[in-house]
Amino acid sequence: MSAQKDRWVSSLVFLLFCACSIPGRGSASLQQEQSPQHYFSGLEAGKASLAFFTPSVSPGPQPFLEQIESSAEALQDYGISVVKVNCPKEDVSRYCGKENALRKAFLFRGNRLIREFPTDALFDVNSIVANVLFALLFNEVKYVETLADLESTENVLKGKSNMVFAYVPATGTAEHRAVMEAAFVYGNIHQFVLTTEAALLKATSHDNPDVTSAQLLFCHCQQATDPAQPCRRTALGQPLTLLNIHRHLKLMGAPLVTEVAEDPEKISTVHLQLGLPLVFILSQRETYEADRRTAEFVAWQLLGKAGVALLSRDLVDLNVLHRSNVALKTPEEGMPIQYLVLEDTDEVVTLVEDKSKVKQIQADEQQEEEEEDEDEHENNNQDIQDDQVVEAVSRDKKRELPLEQILVLTEENFHSSLSEAARTVVLFYASWEAVSLAVLRSYSEVAAHLKGTLGVLLSRVNCWDWPGLCSQENVTQFPTMRIYKEGQQSVTYDGMWGTEELSSFILLSRIPCPLKLTTMDEAEGYLRGEFPSELSSHPHTSLLGVFSTSSREAREAFEEAGNILSGHVRMGMYFEDDSLALSRKYSVSPPALLLARGRGHSVESIALSKHSTQDMVQMIRYELLDVFPEITISNLPQYLQLRKPFLILFSAGDISQMESKEMLKLAKRRPQQAFVACWLNLKKTPVGHGILRTYFSTMPSLPVLLWVNLHAGGQVFKFPPEQSITETNILSWLQKLQAGLEIPSSTLSEEDWKPPLPACDFLQMMEPSVPELSPQPGDTPARHPPKNPGGDTASREEPSQESTAQEGGVPGRGLRGTAPRVAARDKQGKRHSEL
């Protein structure tokens, strides 16, 4: 239905364009009426007409009459009639009086007057058509004067409809006419907004726009589902004509990325039909998600200039180099598709804008391939630690980071800055080291997320510039993040480096750990989920320690454990006189732990038998693990540290209520379970596909239940698919496994899974070679970091507005690391990156 509507709109606009391009036939379409009475009696409801009243005896040649007669045919294309009404001599009414005759034209819809125009505003055909359509579409085309009006209109449209924003230096121009004609056709699809205010045009642009030229922006408000998310804007790069506007709107309505599963030579898209090139991002199954994000990023950069398609190597047999990652198809007939190897998306944009680059890139590819072969030969005995991180940083090396909200610390201001806020978060990093730069990107996103949070100051120390300071703080590995609290020992972060994890750690660190509760009502409210506002948004398990006045040793160990776990765990503490009554309510004697795994869940009680801090930390971490967890990339290390076999259910989505109930019963059978009962959702954690391919030669049907002992033998056993997943069937199957009656489906190799290289003490490496790098105040020694593919993105303090605008929700801009990287990985020895 939408395709038919699109074709109808395209045909109508084309016909209108043709009608406006054909030379006029003078007054062939002009209607004449003998008297005002005859004119008004013949008006039809809902039909528009433009009338001008003139004396029966012509006063002589009038330029206005010539122009309005010439516009009759153009207005007729929009269902608007142009009528010349003859006024009798004796008629001195409103329309025929001497003060109105030949000085005004009147626009009616039916017999209702819409607008009256002074004749000097209707100076040519363009002004007549533009002003008449503007009056008729007054309720459909919004006119705005200020940036606040424009933003208010955008906010109303977000998530609902797109907007076409046009600036014309003056009304009644050819550009104004083109905008109004487009609004007449597309007004029921997009919201049209018009302005003549030069100040508003400047406010909507980061550049210094030419206010003497008309401008048009397509605002993608329909995709802005978050009210705080701005509408993306794509400018029309051609002059404002009806045909160019139609072409631009046609391109904006095309799919952002087209997925291709056939010979690209046979592909024809709207971009090729409109004379624009088509860029193919070559992909394959292993890298599909990353390639899709890259293709979408490229498509936004080239929107209106070229089309972007995702070409699957798995579905199309391409006789090209496996390392090729981009292809370019031009609209000229007979031109072959060019297959290229590009480093990043900036090269794709340059390729589209400068066609001469194609031959240059192809000429460099052979030399580059030879150099890479030499490098691989030289380094075949040395692996690269965290090579995927290095690759990602190299891919994003041209993206500037928005670091203006993060305070730069030096040897001079480090200690004074720690007293500026209740808590100072410090990221220690090296500006040339890949993992540091990757974490710095997450850290910048945390700064944006926590902007305005009271009592928290985010800062950073570049240890390449200040090795003495980092040595003084005992920072020897990068990156390291610490939270400094006035009068307390600093807390070092040891979790995942994702934006969400870092933000959660910083916010939870604001609350005392453990939080001391003073009444039984507070303690029970804490278990029910009644937390301070700073804790309410964090879905952590709540843990409450209950101690009597005599359990001093356990209480002190619990407090010290809280200091160690600060930021990671939500802990409360109760040791008032009535603590015995509280613990007995949950059938346990103090010292004890009470766990509430979420609002509405029952409270678990655990007696404390070991009172050392280390035992307390280890026990708390274990008890906080879910009974039947969903395995994800972020929580897998916690469960691997238990060094227990995995009973894991792989599912293509959420598991059924029956399967969850049976697996949960199994997991709760006894404390300190001898194995980890868990599940993995392949839709949320796609790496599960690779895990199953490692276990089996072909992809098994889902769901599939497996027993995997990663720490002893690496054997993989598959639960019989013909049996239903129930507690009884699983227990019977596990008994057979223990008795040696089951044959493993596969066995993992005994390869060492440790990092290929040991962790490096970077400061120890730096100090012997540059002992003078601890500058005195006033010294500015030149420092040159080692050459690194990632570059020193941290040194860019003030990113450009353009790069900052593209940050939100945009993936890495590198192209290597998708299809080309898979080929390189095939040449290396296989390593275990799966379960």
Side-chain angles (χ1 to χ4, degrees):
M1 187 65 171
S2 60
Q4 293 178 351
K5 184 177 183 181
D6 189 50
R7 286 194 295 271
W8 176 84
V9 170
S10 301
S11 302
L12 179 56
V13 171
F14 180 73
L15 290 174
L16 288 175
F17 171 75
C18 293
C20 296
S21 303
I22 299 173
R25 297 193 299 268
S27 59
S29 300
L30 181 66
Q31 300 178 24
Q32 298 199 32
E33 294 291 350
Q34 296 301 317
S35 67
Q37 292 79 7
H38 192 270
Y39 167 68
F40 286 116
S41 63
L43 292 178
E44 300 178 16
K47 186 174 181 180
S49 62
L50 179 66
F52 63 97
F53 297 81
T54 179
S56 300
V57 180
S58 175
Q62 293 288 334
F64 162 69
L65 291 178
E66 296 175 3
Q67 296 300 326
I68 202 165
E69 289 176 2
S70 299
S71 69
E73 187 172 6
L75 290 174
Q76 189 179 45
D77 293 329
Y78 299 99
I80 305 167
S81 59
V82 179
V83 185
K84 177 182 177 183
V85 182
N86 294 317
C87 293
K89 286 184 179 181
E90 63 279 5
D91 192 340
V92 292
S93 63
R94 173 184 180 184
Y95 300 106
C96 286
K98 291 183 179 181
E99 67 279 4
N100 287 331
L102 292 179
R103 294 182 182 180
K104 292 184 179 180
F106 302 88
L107 178 63
F108 294 91
R109 179 180 278 123
N111 58 5
R112 184 168 65 91
L113 178 63
I114 301 296
R115 180 84 178 272
E116 57 182 62
F117 303 98
T119 55
D120 56 0
L122 307 178
F123 46 84
D124 62 7
V125 174
N126 288 329
S127 64
I128 294 171
V129 175
N131 282 300
V132 168
L133 290 180
F134 194 19
L136 287 175
L137 300 176
F138 181 77
N139 293 323
E140 287 77 20
V141 178
K142 293 181 180 293
Y143 182 84
V144 295
E145 296 181 348
T146 66
L147 182 61
D149 292 339
L150 180 63
E151 291 177 344
S152 175
T153 303
E154 281 188 327
N155 290 334
V156 171
L157 295 175
K158 285 178 181 178
K160 301 175 185 176
S161 179
N162 295 319
M163 182 176 77
V164 180
F165 171 59
Y167 162 79
V168 293
T171 58
T173 59
E175 292 84 0
H176 183 206
R177 173 183 175 180
V179 172
M180 298 314 304
E181 288 180 319
F184 187 89
V185 178
Y186 290 97
N188 62 333
I189 302 175
H190 310 301
Q191 174 65 62
F192 277 72
V193 175
L194 181 71
T195 189
T196 56
E197 300 294 331
L200 177 54
L201 177 64
K202 292 180 179 179
T204 59
S205 175
H206 296 304
D207 305 321
N208 187 19
D210 180 10
V211 296
T212 62
S213 301
Q215 310 281 339
L216 184 138
L217 297 173
F218 186 90
C219 305
H220 306 266
C221 296
Q222 194 169 11
Q223 297 182 358
T225 54
D226 185 351
Q229 179 184 357
C231 300
R232 287 178 179 263
R233 296 170 180 172
T234 305
L236 170 63
Q238 291 80 34
L240 254 67
T241 66
L242 178 58
L243 184 59
N244 285 340
I245 295 175
H246 161 63
R247 184 174 180 268
H248 192 62
L249 298 183
K250 183 81 171 176
L251 292 172
M252 297 303 101
L256 184 63
V257 175
T258 304
E259 297 203 15
V260 177
E262 59 179 308
D263 185 354
E265 295 284 359
K266 301 177 181 178
I267 296 298
S268 177
T269 66
V270 64
H271 301 86
L272 294 170
Q273 295 165 9
L274 293 175
L276 297 178
L278 181 63
V279 175
F280 294 93
I281 303 297
L282 274 58
S283 176
Q284 53 195 7
R285 186 180 301 108
E286 293 87 345
T287 60
Y288 171 80
E289 293 297 334
D291 296 340
R292 176 78 192 186
R293 291 193 297 270
T294 299
E296 290 176 353
F297 181 80
V298 172
W300 280 114
Q301 304 304 303
L302 295 177
L303 196 59
K305 301 176 184 177
V308 176
L310 196 63
L311 177 59
S312 173
R313 290 176 176 270
D314 301 306
L315 301 177
V316 182
D317 186 16
L318 298 176
N319 187 22
V320 296
L321 290 175
H322 193 73
R323 61 198 300 271
S324 298
N325 55 5
V326 172
L328 181 67
K329 183 175 183 178
T330 57
E332 294 84 4
E333 290 188 14
M335 291 294 293
I337 294 179
Q338 306 291 330
Y339 291 90
L340 309 164
V341 180
L342 302 183
E343 290 286 347
D344 56 43
T345 57
D346 288 342
E347 292 191 5
V348 182
V349 176
T350 303
L351 184 70
V352 170
E353 296 177 347
D354 186 357
K355 295 182 180 179
S356 63
K357 287 289 184 180
V358 178
K359 292 182 179 180
Q360 179 183 339
I361 292 172
Q362 288 178 322
D364 293 342
E365 281 185 7
Q366 183 64 33
Q367 180 180 355
E368 181 184 349
E369 187 175 0
E370 293 173 358
E371 291 175 355
E372 288 181 357
D373 290 341
E374 290 179 9
D375 292 340
E376 184 178 354
H377 179 72
E378 292 175 3
N379 298 319
N380 58 357
N381 292 324
Q382 181 178 1
D383 211 335
I384 300 175
Q385 186 175 10
D386 295 323
D387 57 329
Q388 291 181 338
V389 178
V390 173
E391 176 191 2
V393 171
S394 177
R395 186 172 63 236
D396 293 348
K397 61 185 178 182
K398 295 184 180 180
R399 290 180 62 193
E400 297 182 358
L401 299 178
L403 302 175
E404 61 276 0
Q405 298 178 30
I406 303 174
L407 179 65
V408 177
L409 299 183
T410 66
E411 288 184 343
E412 286 122 12
N413 69 351
F414 180 81
H415 294 289
S416 62
S417 298
L418 296 184
S419 60
E420 292 183 6
R423 284 167 176 77
T424 303
V425 185
V426 183
L427 177 67
F428 298 90
Y429 68 100
S431 56
W432 51 269
E433 192 264 325
V435 179
S436 289
L437 296 179
V439 171
L440 195 61
R441 185 169 301 282
S442 296
Y443 197 56
S444 67
E445 294 172 355
V446 171
H449 179 66
L450 300 183
K451 183 179 179 181
T453 302
L454 297 177
V456 176
L457 175 65
L458 266 63
S459 61
R460 56 191 173 99
V461 175
N462 186 350
C463 291
W464 173 255
D465 289 337
W466 309 102
L469 174 59
C470 295
S471 296
Q472 178 183 338
E473 294 299 312
N474 196 29
V475 175
T476 59
Q477 294 186 10
F478 308 138
T480 294
M481 190 180 84
R482 287 185 183 158
I483 296 182
Y484 292 82
K485 310 173 187 177
E486 189 174 357
Q488 300 183 35
Q489 187 177 359
S490 63
V491 177
T492 301
Y493 179 68
D494 60 356
M496 302 290 284
W497 289 103
T499 303
E500 184 177 347
E501 291 82 2
L502 291 174
S503 298
S504 175
F505 176 76
I506 294 171
L507 290 176
L508 278 178
S509 297
R510 300 170 64 199
I511 307 302
C513 187
L515 180 65
K516 295 180 181 179
L517 306 171
T518 59
T519 67
M520 186 176 290
D521 288 341
E522 284 185 358
E524 295 196 284
Y526 179 85
L527 291 174
R528 288 194 301 268
E530 299 171 4
F531 314 118
S533 58
E534 295 90 342
L535 292 177
S536 59
S537 60
H538 297 274
H540 295 70
T541 297
S542 299
L543 184 147
L544 179 64
V546 183
F547 304 93
S548 63
T549 54
S550 61
S551 53
R552 178 180 176 183
E553 181 182 356
R555 188 180 75 229
E556 290 177 350
F558 185 78
E559 288 187 88
E560 186 61 31
N563 292 332
I564 296 173
L565 297 173
S566 175
H568 296 288
V569 181
R570 185 160 58 195
M571 294 173 59
M573 183 175 180
Y574 189 70
F575 55 94
E576 301 299 326
D577 294 339
D578 54 356
S579 60
L580 184 60
L582 177 64
S583 60
R584 284 179 176 174
K585 183 176 180 179
Y586 296 99
S587 304
V588 67
S589 298
L593 295 182
L594 302 178
L595 273 76
R597 298 188 183 275
R599 292 180 175 86
H601 288 69
S602 59
V603 177
E604 303 173 28
S605 55
I606 303 163
L608 290 176
S609 56
K610 298 181 180 180
H611 299 163
S612 73
T613 301
Q614 191 61 37
D615 289 338
M616 195 83 72
V617 170
Q618 184 176 356
M619 186 194 68
I620 290 173
R621 282 177 169 164
Y622 177 80
E623 294 297 340
L624 289 176
L625 296 176
D626 289 336
V627 178
F628 176 52
E630 177 187 354
I631 294 296
T632 63
I633 293 175
S634 59
N635 69 13
L636 175 60
Q638 302 175 38
Y639 295 97
L640 285 176
Q641 288 176 358
L642 300 176
R643 303 191 66 81
K644 296 180 180 181
F646 275 47
L647 180 65
I648 181 167
L649 178 64
F650 288 84
S651 174
D654 292 334
I655 58 178
S656 68
Q657 186 175 2
M658 185 275 290
E659 292 168 342
S660 176
K661 180 180 178 181
E662 293 296 322
M663 292 291 291
L664 192 59
K665 285 165 55 180
L666 186 70
K668 289 182 176 180
R669 279 187 65 83
R670 59 183 180 276
Q672 303 295 327
Q673 184 67 274
F675 56 86
V676 177
C678 55
W679 70 288
L680 191 148
N681 185 345
L682 271 69
K683 284 189 176 180
K684 292 170 61 175
T685 311
V687 71
H689 292 281
I691 296 171
L692 290 176
R693 280 194 294 271
T694 301
Y695 293 166
F696 305 99
S697 57
T698 59
M699 191 74 175
S701 58
L702 300 176
V704 58
L705 181 65
L706 303 177
W707 173 278
V708 186
N709 195 340
L710 300 170
H711 308 284
Q715 293 181 328
V716 180
F717 293 88
K718 180 180 178 182
F719 181 74
E722 65 274 6
Q723 294 187 24
S724 58
I725 297 177
T726 65
E727 180 188 18
T728 302
N729 290 342
I730 296 173
L731 286 175
S732 175
W733 178 60
L734 292 179
Q735 289 175 358
K736 292 181 181 179
L737 292 182
Q738 294 176 353
L741 301 178
E742 291 286 329
I743 300 174
S745 302
S746 61
T747 302
L748 302 178
S749 66
E750 297 182 359
E751 188 176 349
D752 192 354
W753 292 9
K754 294 179 180 179
L757 295 177
C760 297
D761 187 334
F762 294 103
L763 292 178
Q764 189 176 20
M765 295 168 57
M766 292 161 54
E767 288 173 350
S769 58
V770 283
E772 72 285 356
L773 280 185
S774 182
Q776 302 301 318
D779 294 341
T780 55
R783 299 184 178 89
H784 302 284
K787 292 182 179 180
N788 185 282
D792 188 356
T793 58
S795 65
R796 299 166 183 159
E797 302 296 333
E798 297 181 359
S800 65
Q801 291 179 337
E802 180 180 357
S803 64
T804 305
Q806 294 170 354
E807 282 297 316
V810 177
R813 288 164 50 177
L815 291 170
R816 291 183 181 252
T818 56
R821 190 64 185 177
V822 175
R825 189 170 64 229
D826 291 340
K827 297 178 183 179
Q828 302 173 1
K830 292 184 178 179
R831 305 187 210 125
H832 287 290
S833 59
E834 302 89 1
L835 280 178

